[in-house]
mmCIF file of all heavy atoms in Angstrom:
data_model
loop_
_atom_site.group_PDB
_atom_site.id
_atom_site.type_symbol
_atom_site.label_atom_id
_atom_site.label_comp_id
_atom_site.label_asym_id
_atom_site.label_seq_id
_atom_site.Cartn_x
_atom_site.Cartn_y
_atom_site.Cartn_z
ATOM 1 N N LYS A 1 163.392 122.190 90.566
ATOM 2 C CA LYS A 1 162.122 121.952 89.797
ATOM 3 C C LYS A 1 161.930 122.764 88.655
ATOM 4 O O LYS A 1 161.166 122.350 87.782
ATOM 5 C CB LYS A 1 160.942 122.199 90.804
ATOM 6 C CG LYS A 1 159.648 121.546 90.329
ATOM 7 C CD LYS A 1 158.579 121.697 91.434
ATOM 8 C CE LYS A 1 157.241 121.059 90.904
ATOM 9 N NZ LYS A 1 156.271 121.125 91.954
ATOM 10 N N TYR A 2 162.471 123.931 88.463
ATOM 11 C CA TYR A 2 162.241 124.853 87.456
ATOM 12 C C TYR A 2 163.565 125.362 86.903
ATOM 13 O O TYR A 2 163.894 126.455 87.095
ATOM 14 C CB TYR A 2 161.413 126.066 87.956
ATOM 15 C CG TYR A 2 160.175 125.710 88.673
ATOM 16 C CD1 TYR A 2 160.149 125.741 90.070
ATOM 17 C CD2 TYR A 2 159.015 125.286 87.903
ATOM 18 C CE1 TYR A 2 158.874 125.443 90.711
ATOM 19 C CE2 TYR A 2 157.811 124.994 88.558
ATOM 20 C CZ TYR A 2 157.785 125.021 90.071
ATOM 21 O OH TYR A 2 156.608 124.723 90.673
ATOM 22 N N PRO A 3 164.223 124.505 86.096
ATOM 23 C CA PRO A 3 165.627 124.830 85.640
ATOM 24 C C PRO A 3 165.619 125.952 84.616
ATOM 25 O O PRO A 3 166.487 126.847 84.660
ATOM 26 C CB PRO A 3 166.160 123.545 84.951
ATOM 27 C CG PRO A 3 164.781 122.677 84.709
ATOM 28 C CD PRO A 3 163.863 123.086 85.797
ATOM 29 N N GLU A 4 164.560 126.148 83.784
ATOM 30 C CA GLU A 4 164.514 127.277 82.795
ATOM 31 C C GLU A 4 164.232 128.477 83.547
ATOM 32 O O GLU A 4 164.729 129.555 83.277
ATOM 33 C CB GLU A 4 163.594 126.867 81.631
ATOM 34 C CG GLU A 4 164.004 125.719 80.818
ATOM 35 C CD GLU A 4 163.535 125.642 79.489
ATOM 36 O OE1 GLU A 4 163.286 126.798 78.961
ATOM 37 O OE2 GLU A 4 163.276 124.568 78.792
ATOM 38 N N GLU A 5 163.189 128.482 84.435
ATOM 39 C CA GLU A 5 162.708 129.670 85.083
ATOM 40 C C GLU A 5 163.805 130.219 86.049
ATOM 41 O O GLU A 5 163.884 131.380 86.270
ATOM 42 C CB GLU A 5 161.432 129.385 85.915
ATOM 43 C CG GLU A 5 160.189 129.212 85.090
ATOM 44 C CD GLU A 5 160.035 127.896 84.462
ATOM 45 O OE1 GLU A 5 160.951 126.992 84.672
ATOM 46 O OE2 GLU A 5 159.055 127.663 83.756
ATOM 47 N N ALA A 6 164.647 129.394 86.550
ATOM 48 C CA ALA A 6 165.717 129.626 87.420
ATOM 49 C C ALA A 6 166.709 130.663 86.862
ATOM 50 O O ALA A 6 167.360 131.391 87.567
ATOM 51 C CB ALA A 6 166.447 128.523 87.938
ATOM 52 N N GLN A 7 166.786 130.664 85.505
ATOM 53 C CA GLN A 7 167.773 131.572 84.824
ATOM 54 C C GLN A 7 167.483 133.015 85.199
ATOM 55 O O GLN A 7 168.423 133.740 85.098
ATOM 56 C CB GLN A 7 167.659 131.328 83.326
ATOM 57 C CG GLN A 7 167.951 130.002 82.787
ATOM 58 C CD GLN A 7 167.789 129.940 81.252
ATOM 59 O OE1 GLN A 7 168.737 130.165 80.547
ATOM 60 N NE2 GLN A 7 166.627 129.788 80.867
ATOM 61 N N TYR A 8 166.281 133.317 85.336
ATOM 62 C CA TYR A 8 165.926 134.771 85.558
ATOM 63 C C TYR A 8 166.673 135.474 86.737
ATOM 64 O O TYR A 8 166.816 136.651 86.671
ATOM 65 C CB TYR A 8 164.379 134.923 85.668
ATOM 66 C CG TYR A 8 163.638 134.710 84.496
ATOM 67 C CD1 TYR A 8 162.876 133.515 84.167
ATOM 68 C CD2 TYR A 8 163.481 135.797 83.478
ATOM 69 C CE1 TYR A 8 162.143 133.349 83.007
ATOM 70 C CE2 TYR A 8 162.740 135.573 82.397
ATOM 71 C CZ TYR A 8 162.091 134.416 82.163
ATOM 72 O OH TYR A 8 161.434 134.140 80.962
ATOM 73 N N VAL A 9 166.906 134.726 87.778
ATOM 74 C CA VAL A 9 167.665 135.274 88.947
ATOM 75 C C VAL A 9 169.135 135.514 88.775
ATOM 76 O O VAL A 9 169.739 136.207 89.676
ATOM 77 C CB VAL A 9 167.241 134.459 90.175
ATOM 78 C CG1 VAL A 9 168.137 133.198 90.287
ATOM 79 C CG2 VAL A 9 167.236 135.316 91.450
ATOM 80 N N VAL A 10 169.683 134.872 87.817
ATOM 81 C CA VAL A 10 171.134 134.946 87.629
ATOM 82 C C VAL A 10 171.719 136.160 87.191
ATOM 83 O O VAL A 10 171.181 136.803 86.194
ATOM 84 C CB VAL A 10 171.565 133.727 86.695
ATOM 85 C CG1 VAL A 10 173.100 133.699 86.619
ATOM 86 C CG2 VAL A 10 171.104 132.388 87.242
ATOM 87 N N ASN A 11 172.688 136.754 87.763
ATOM 88 C CA ASN A 11 173.323 138.045 87.469
ATOM 89 C C ASN A 11 174.187 137.980 86.183
ATOM 90 O O ASN A 11 174.673 136.998 85.715
ATOM 91 C CB ASN A 11 174.183 138.554 88.560
ATOM 92 C CG ASN A 11 173.570 138.446 89.976
ATOM 93 O OD1 ASN A 11 173.510 137.411 90.545
ATOM 94 N ND2 ASN A 11 173.008 139.562 90.359
ATOM 95 N N PHE A 12 174.328 139.180 85.550
ATOM 96 C CA PHE A 12 175.093 139.347 84.335
ATOM 97 C C PHE A 12 176.574 138.789 84.694
ATOM 98 O O PHE A 12 177.260 138.477 83.725
ATOM 99 C CB PHE A 12 175.209 140.693 83.866
ATOM 100 C CG PHE A 12 173.855 141.204 83.218
ATOM 101 C CD1 PHE A 12 172.727 140.524 83.172
ATOM 102 C CD2 PHE A 12 173.863 142.376 82.501
ATOM 103 C CE1 PHE A 12 171.496 140.845 82.544
ATOM 104 C CE2 PHE A 12 172.716 142.808 81.743
ATOM 105 C CZ PHE A 12 171.630 142.067 81.845
ATOM 106 N N GLY A 13 177.031 139.054 85.854
ATOM 107 C CA GLY A 13 178.392 138.700 86.212
ATOM 108 C C GLY A 13 178.661 137.153 86.315
ATOM 109 O O GLY A 13 179.999 136.811 86.261
ATOM 110 N N TYR A 14 177.731 136.337 86.304
ATOM 111 C CA TYR A 14 177.957 134.944 86.373
ATOM 112 C C TYR A 14 178.457 134.423 85.085
ATOM 113 O O TYR A 14 178.006 134.843 83.925
ATOM 114 C CB TYR A 14 176.740 134.215 86.857
ATOM 115 C CG TYR A 14 176.711 133.958 88.292
ATOM 116 C CD1 TYR A 14 175.901 134.798 89.114
ATOM 117 C CD2 TYR A 14 177.417 132.969 88.881
ATOM 118 C CE1 TYR A 14 175.853 134.570 90.476
ATOM 119 C CE2 TYR A 14 177.366 132.775 90.258
ATOM 120 C CZ TYR A 14 176.613 133.586 91.077
ATOM 121 O OH TYR A 14 176.656 133.437 92.391
ATOM 122 N N ASN A 15 179.432 133.502 85.088
ATOM 123 C CA ASN A 15 179.986 132.919 83.820
ATOM 124 C C ASN A 15 178.994 131.985 83.193
ATOM 125 O O ASN A 15 178.212 131.258 83.809
ATOM 126 C CB ASN A 15 181.265 132.180 84.202
ATOM 127 C CG ASN A 15 182.420 133.202 84.570
ATOM 128 O OD1 ASN A 15 182.417 134.242 83.919
ATOM 129 N ND2 ASN A 15 183.183 132.757 85.564
ATOM 130 N N TYR A 16 179.051 131.968 81.831
ATOM 131 C CA TYR A 16 178.112 131.291 80.948
ATOM 132 C C TYR A 16 178.894 130.512 79.772
ATOM 133 O O TYR A 16 179.603 131.196 79.024
ATOM 134 C CB TYR A 16 177.236 132.477 80.377
ATOM 135 C CG TYR A 16 176.020 131.907 79.582
ATOM 136 C CD1 TYR A 16 175.151 130.957 80.107
ATOM 137 C CD2 TYR A 16 175.780 132.479 78.224
ATOM 138 C CE1 TYR A 16 174.045 130.562 79.400
ATOM 139 C CE2 TYR A 16 174.733 131.982 77.597
ATOM 140 C CZ TYR A 16 173.870 131.096 78.132
ATOM 141 O OH TYR A 16 172.753 130.595 77.308
ATOM 142 N N PRO A 17 178.508 129.304 79.686
ATOM 143 C CA PRO A 17 179.121 128.573 78.601
ATOM 144 C C PRO A 17 178.406 128.558 77.253
ATOM 145 O O PRO A 17 177.200 128.391 77.235
ATOM 146 C CB PRO A 17 179.097 127.090 79.237
ATOM 147 C CG PRO A 17 177.921 127.097 80.096
ATOM 148 C CD PRO A 17 177.667 128.480 80.518
ATOM 149 N N TYR A 18 179.250 128.674 76.229
ATOM 150 C CA TYR A 18 178.665 128.596 74.904
ATOM 151 C C TYR A 18 179.788 128.261 73.966
ATOM 152 O O TYR A 18 180.935 128.334 74.267
ATOM 153 C CB TYR A 18 177.940 129.870 74.357
ATOM 154 C CG TYR A 18 178.840 131.153 74.590
ATOM 155 C CD1 TYR A 18 179.448 131.764 73.510
ATOM 156 C CD2 TYR A 18 178.999 131.743 75.928
ATOM 157 C CE1 TYR A 18 180.198 132.943 73.696
ATOM 158 C CE2 TYR A 18 179.664 132.905 76.035
ATOM 159 C CZ TYR A 18 180.319 133.448 74.916
ATOM 160 O OH TYR A 18 181.068 134.646 75.040
ATOM 161 N N MET A 19 179.397 127.731 72.680
ATOM 162 C CA MET A 19 180.398 127.364 71.737
ATOM 163 C C MET A 19 180.125 128.317 70.415
ATOM 164 O O MET A 19 178.920 128.566 70.136
ATOM 165 C CB MET A 19 180.448 125.890 71.358
ATOM 166 C CG MET A 19 179.153 125.267 70.952
ATOM 167 S SD MET A 19 178.688 125.501 69.219
ATOM 168 C CE MET A 19 179.990 124.762 68.293
ATOM 169 N N MET A 20 181.236 128.604 69.735
ATOM 170 C CA MET A 20 181.028 129.350 68.611
ATOM 171 C C MET A 20 181.887 128.751 67.465
ATOM 172 O O MET A 20 183.083 128.467 67.647
ATOM 173 C CB MET A 20 181.571 130.795 68.740
ATOM 174 C CG MET A 20 180.666 131.537 69.740
ATOM 175 S SD MET A 20 181.304 133.271 70.097
ATOM 176 C CE MET A 20 180.726 134.184 68.664
ATOM 177 N N LYS A 21 181.347 128.519 66.309
ATOM 178 C CA LYS A 21 182.075 128.017 65.086
ATOM 179 C C LYS A 21 181.941 129.147 64.042
ATOM 180 O O LYS A 21 180.859 129.494 63.752
ATOM 181 C CB LYS A 21 181.481 126.704 64.576
ATOM 182 C CG LYS A 21 182.225 126.107 63.417
ATOM 183 C CD LYS A 21 181.865 124.779 63.021
ATOM 184 C CE LYS A 21 182.773 124.255 61.960
ATOM 185 N NZ LYS A 21 182.862 122.821 61.884
ATOM 186 N N MET A 22 183.110 129.484 63.518
ATOM 187 C CA MET A 22 183.146 130.484 62.562
ATOM 188 C C MET A 22 184.128 130.202 61.524
ATOM 189 O O MET A 22 185.082 129.491 61.812
ATOM 190 C CB MET A 22 183.340 131.887 63.154
ATOM 191 C CG MET A 22 184.664 132.000 63.806
ATOM 192 S SD MET A 22 184.794 133.439 64.952
ATOM 193 C CE MET A 22 184.151 132.602 66.400
ATOM 194 N N ASN A 23 183.996 130.762 60.338
ATOM 195 C CA ASN A 23 185.095 130.772 59.407
ATOM 196 C C ASN A 23 186.008 131.880 59.589
ATOM 197 O O ASN A 23 185.812 132.858 60.208
ATOM 198 C CB ASN A 23 184.517 130.699 57.990
ATOM 199 C CG ASN A 23 183.587 131.732 57.581
ATOM 200 O OD1 ASN A 23 184.046 133.030 57.644
ATOM 201 N ND2 ASN A 23 182.363 131.539 57.086
ATOM 202 N N MET A 24 187.172 131.864 58.817
ATOM 203 C CA MET A 24 188.157 132.986 58.963
ATOM 204 C C MET A 24 187.618 134.210 58.657
ATOM 205 O O MET A 24 187.819 135.342 59.287
ATOM 206 C CB MET A 24 189.378 132.601 58.135
ATOM 207 C CG MET A 24 190.447 133.855 58.109
ATOM 208 S SD MET A 24 191.056 134.063 59.681
ATOM 209 C CE MET A 24 192.551 133.039 59.800
ATOM 210 N N ARG A 25 186.713 134.356 57.592
ATOM 211 C CA ARG A 25 186.227 135.650 57.256
ATOM 212 C C ARG A 25 185.373 136.372 58.416
ATOM 213 O O ARG A 25 185.445 137.478 58.665
ATOM 214 C CB ARG A 25 185.267 135.481 55.907
ATOM 215 C CG ARG A 25 184.821 136.750 55.285
ATOM 216 C CD ARG A 25 184.397 136.450 53.904
ATOM 217 N NE ARG A 25 184.003 137.663 53.123
ATOM 218 C CZ ARG A 25 182.717 138.017 52.846
ATOM 219 N NH1 ARG A 25 181.789 137.304 53.218
ATOM 220 N NH2 ARG A 25 182.485 139.168 52.212
ATOM 221 N N GLU A 26 184.512 135.440 58.978
ATOM 222 C CA GLU A 26 183.740 136.062 60.077
ATOM 223 C C GLU A 26 184.561 136.262 61.249
ATOM 224 O O GLU A 26 184.449 137.197 62.084
ATOM 225 C CB GLU A 26 182.675 135.037 60.444
ATOM 226 C CG GLU A 26 181.793 135.437 61.721
ATOM 227 C CD GLU A 26 181.183 136.800 61.638
ATOM 228 O OE1 GLU A 26 180.993 137.344 60.595
ATOM 229 O OE2 GLU A 26 180.785 137.343 62.762
ATOM 230 N N ALA A 27 185.699 135.402 61.557
ATOM 231 C CA ALA A 27 186.533 135.619 62.714
ATOM 232 C C ALA A 27 187.354 137.008 62.520
ATOM 233 O O ALA A 27 187.495 137.750 63.457
ATOM 234 C CB ALA A 27 187.627 134.494 62.693
ATOM 235 N N VAL A 28 187.634 137.249 61.313
ATOM 236 C CA VAL A 28 188.290 138.583 61.051
ATOM 237 C C VAL A 28 187.337 139.704 61.361
ATOM 238 O O VAL A 28 187.729 140.676 62.055
ATOM 239 C CB VAL A 28 188.632 138.702 59.423
ATOM 240 C CG1 VAL A 28 189.173 140.149 59.227
ATOM 241 C CG2 VAL A 28 189.755 137.742 59.173
ATOM 242 N N HIS A 29 186.094 139.647 61.037
ATOM 243 C CA HIS A 29 185.114 140.653 61.288
ATOM 244 C C HIS A 29 184.905 140.787 62.734
ATOM 245 O O HIS A 29 185.106 141.828 63.351
ATOM 246 C CB HIS A 29 183.822 140.389 60.634
ATOM 247 C CG HIS A 29 182.700 141.268 61.162
ATOM 248 N ND1 HIS A 29 182.620 142.675 60.840
ATOM 249 C CD2 HIS A 29 181.616 141.018 61.841
ATOM 250 C CE1 HIS A 29 181.521 143.047 61.368
ATOM 251 N NE2 HIS A 29 180.897 142.073 62.075
ATOM 252 N N MET A 30 184.648 139.698 63.441
ATOM 253 C CA MET A 30 184.266 139.721 64.837
ATOM 254 C C MET A 30 185.459 140.070 65.724
ATOM 255 O O MET A 30 185.349 140.988 66.582
ATOM 256 C CB MET A 30 183.823 138.319 65.277
ATOM 257 C CG MET A 30 183.222 138.365 66.703
ATOM 258 S SD MET A 30 182.751 136.686 67.318
ATOM 259 C CE MET A 30 184.323 136.208 67.892
ATOM 260 N N ILE A 31 186.653 139.586 65.474
ATOM 261 C CA ILE A 31 187.813 139.819 66.327
ATOM 262 C C ILE A 31 188.359 141.225 66.153
ATOM 263 O O ILE A 31 188.720 141.954 67.103
ATOM 264 C CB ILE A 31 188.867 138.718 66.186
ATOM 265 C CG1 ILE A 31 188.394 137.412 66.599
ATOM 266 C CG2 ILE A 31 190.168 139.128 66.866
ATOM 267 C CD1 ILE A 31 189.190 136.233 66.325
ATOM 268 N N GLU A 32 188.276 141.699 64.912
ATOM 269 C CA GLU A 32 188.845 143.064 64.672
ATOM 270 C C GLU A 32 187.763 144.030 65.271
ATOM 271 O O GLU A 32 188.201 145.032 65.919
ATOM 272 C CB GLU A 32 188.969 143.437 63.227
ATOM 273 C CG GLU A 32 190.191 142.636 62.524
ATOM 274 C CD GLU A 32 190.375 142.923 61.208
ATOM 275 O OE1 GLU A 32 189.454 143.577 60.441
ATOM 276 O OE2 GLU A 32 191.497 142.687 60.490
ATOM 277 N N LEU A 33 186.542 143.844 65.196
ATOM 278 C CA LEU A 33 185.537 144.748 65.669
ATOM 279 C C LEU A 33 185.556 144.710 67.272
ATOM 280 O O LEU A 33 185.492 145.718 67.916
ATOM 281 C CB LEU A 33 184.133 144.341 65.201
ATOM 282 C CG LEU A 33 182.921 145.105 65.845
ATOM 283 C CD1 LEU A 33 182.942 146.597 65.446
ATOM 284 C CD2 LEU A 33 181.641 144.514 65.390
ATOM 285 N N ARG A 34 185.725 143.563 67.802
ATOM 286 C CA ARG A 34 185.634 143.400 69.317
ATOM 287 C C ARG A 34 186.949 143.732 70.005
ATOM 288 O O ARG A 34 187.046 143.594 71.189
ATOM 289 C CB ARG A 34 185.036 142.024 69.681
ATOM 290 C CG ARG A 34 183.622 141.838 69.303
ATOM 291 C CD ARG A 34 182.760 142.738 69.834
ATOM 292 N NE ARG A 34 181.405 142.629 69.396
ATOM 293 C CZ ARG A 34 180.467 143.531 69.613
ATOM 294 N NH1 ARG A 34 180.668 144.660 70.225
ATOM 295 N NH2 ARG A 34 179.157 143.366 69.241
ATOM 296 N N THR A 35 187.985 144.113 69.228
ATOM 297 C CA THR A 35 189.222 144.561 69.933
ATOM 298 C C THR A 35 189.413 146.042 69.681
ATOM 299 O O THR A 35 190.428 146.658 70.049
ATOM 300 C CB THR A 35 190.474 143.807 69.354
ATOM 301 O OG1 THR A 35 190.448 143.954 67.981
ATOM 302 C CG2 THR A 35 190.441 142.376 69.753
ATOM 303 N N VAL A 36 188.415 146.759 69.188
ATOM 304 C CA VAL A 36 188.570 148.294 68.951
ATOM 305 C C VAL A 36 188.737 148.945 70.372
ATOM 306 O O VAL A 36 188.136 148.431 71.288
ATOM 307 C CB VAL A 36 187.448 148.872 68.117
ATOM 308 C CG1 VAL A 36 187.440 148.366 66.686
ATOM 309 C CG2 VAL A 36 186.109 148.512 68.796
ATOM 310 N N PRO A 37 189.336 150.114 70.384
ATOM 311 C CA PRO A 37 189.544 150.820 71.727
ATOM 312 C C PRO A 37 188.225 150.989 72.430
ATOM 313 O O PRO A 37 188.332 150.980 73.688
ATOM 314 C CB PRO A 37 190.212 152.098 71.333
ATOM 315 C CG PRO A 37 190.919 151.751 70.049
ATOM 316 C CD PRO A 37 190.075 150.775 69.353
ATOM 317 N N GLN A 38 187.203 151.327 71.710
ATOM 318 C CA GLN A 38 185.941 151.696 72.494
ATOM 319 C C GLN A 38 185.152 150.466 72.958
ATOM 320 O O GLN A 38 184.042 150.597 73.642
ATOM 321 C CB GLN A 38 184.983 152.546 71.711
ATOM 322 C CG GLN A 38 184.495 151.871 70.403
ATOM 323 C CD GLN A 38 185.411 152.233 69.246
ATOM 324 O OE1 GLN A 38 186.616 152.352 69.324
ATOM 325 N NE2 GLN A 38 184.775 152.267 68.011
ATOM 326 N N GLY A 39 185.626 149.309 72.660
ATOM 327 C CA GLY A 39 184.904 148.009 73.204
ATOM 328 C C GLY A 39 185.013 147.786 74.709
ATOM 329 O O GLY A 39 186.010 148.264 75.281
ATOM 330 N N HIS A 40 184.032 147.073 75.254
ATOM 331 C CA HIS A 40 184.111 146.761 76.623
ATOM 332 C C HIS A 40 185.326 145.880 76.887
ATOM 333 O O HIS A 40 185.698 144.983 76.077
ATOM 334 C CB HIS A 40 182.778 145.858 76.953
ATOM 335 C CG HIS A 40 182.616 145.711 78.484
ATOM 336 N ND1 HIS A 40 183.433 144.834 79.196
ATOM 337 C CD2 HIS A 40 181.567 146.211 79.299
ATOM 338 C CE1 HIS A 40 183.001 144.922 80.466
ATOM 339 N NE2 HIS A 40 181.938 145.707 80.458
ATOM 340 N N GLN A 41 186.023 146.113 77.993
ATOM 341 C CA GLN A 41 187.306 145.410 78.255
ATOM 342 C C GLN A 41 187.071 143.882 78.296
ATOM 343 O O GLN A 41 187.986 143.134 78.036
ATOM 344 C CB GLN A 41 187.913 145.979 79.528
ATOM 345 C CG GLN A 41 187.074 145.745 80.697
ATOM 346 C CD GLN A 41 187.789 146.303 82.026
ATOM 347 O OE1 GLN A 41 188.897 146.640 81.978
ATOM 348 N NE2 GLN A 41 187.056 146.414 83.144
ATOM 349 N N ASP A 42 185.946 143.356 78.759
ATOM 350 C CA ASP A 42 185.759 142.006 78.920
ATOM 351 C C ASP A 42 185.823 141.293 77.610
ATOM 352 O O ASP A 42 186.488 140.353 77.492
ATOM 353 C CB ASP A 42 184.364 141.756 79.533
ATOM 354 C CG ASP A 42 184.283 141.976 81.058
ATOM 355 O OD1 ASP A 42 185.396 142.135 81.620
ATOM 356 O OD2 ASP A 42 183.229 141.981 81.666
ATOM 357 N N TYR A 43 185.062 141.724 76.565
ATOM 358 C CA TYR A 43 185.015 141.049 75.305
ATOM 359 C C TYR A 43 186.359 141.390 74.560
ATOM 360 O O TYR A 43 186.738 140.580 73.693
ATOM 361 C CB TYR A 43 183.786 141.213 74.516
ATOM 362 C CG TYR A 43 183.421 142.628 74.017
ATOM 363 C CD1 TYR A 43 184.188 143.277 73.139
ATOM 364 C CD2 TYR A 43 182.246 143.272 74.347
ATOM 365 C CE1 TYR A 43 183.914 144.513 72.522
ATOM 366 C CE2 TYR A 43 181.875 144.535 73.857
ATOM 367 C CZ TYR A 43 182.709 145.150 72.992
ATOM 368 O OH TYR A 43 182.312 146.339 72.433
#
């Protein structure tokens, strides 16, 4: 009955779908930044 409100109970560990469109310039920035040693292992 409440699909939007139901989101609040879902844990961070649950998988979540999204799409990302980026150009190569932004891909360089994002991927190089998110693979640095201090980054969270998940991302």
Side-chain angles (χ1 to χ4, degrees):
K1 191 172 182 181
Y2 305 101
E4 295 204 31
E5 288 81 1
Q7 296 179 96
Y8 286 101
V9 79
V10 182
N11 311 81
F12 285 16
Y14 268 100
N15 290 323
Y16 186 52
Y18 52 105
M19 56 78 64
M20 298 174 78
K21 180 168 184 160
M22 67 196 80
N23 58 56
M24 173 61 93
R25 191 167 185 249
E26 174 57 20
V28 169
H29 168 70
M30 190 186 86
I31 294 171
E32 289 184 346
L33 175 63
R34 293 305 177 189
T35 57
V36 294
Q38 62 266 35
H40 192 289
Q41 62 180 350
D42 283 351
Y43 66 63

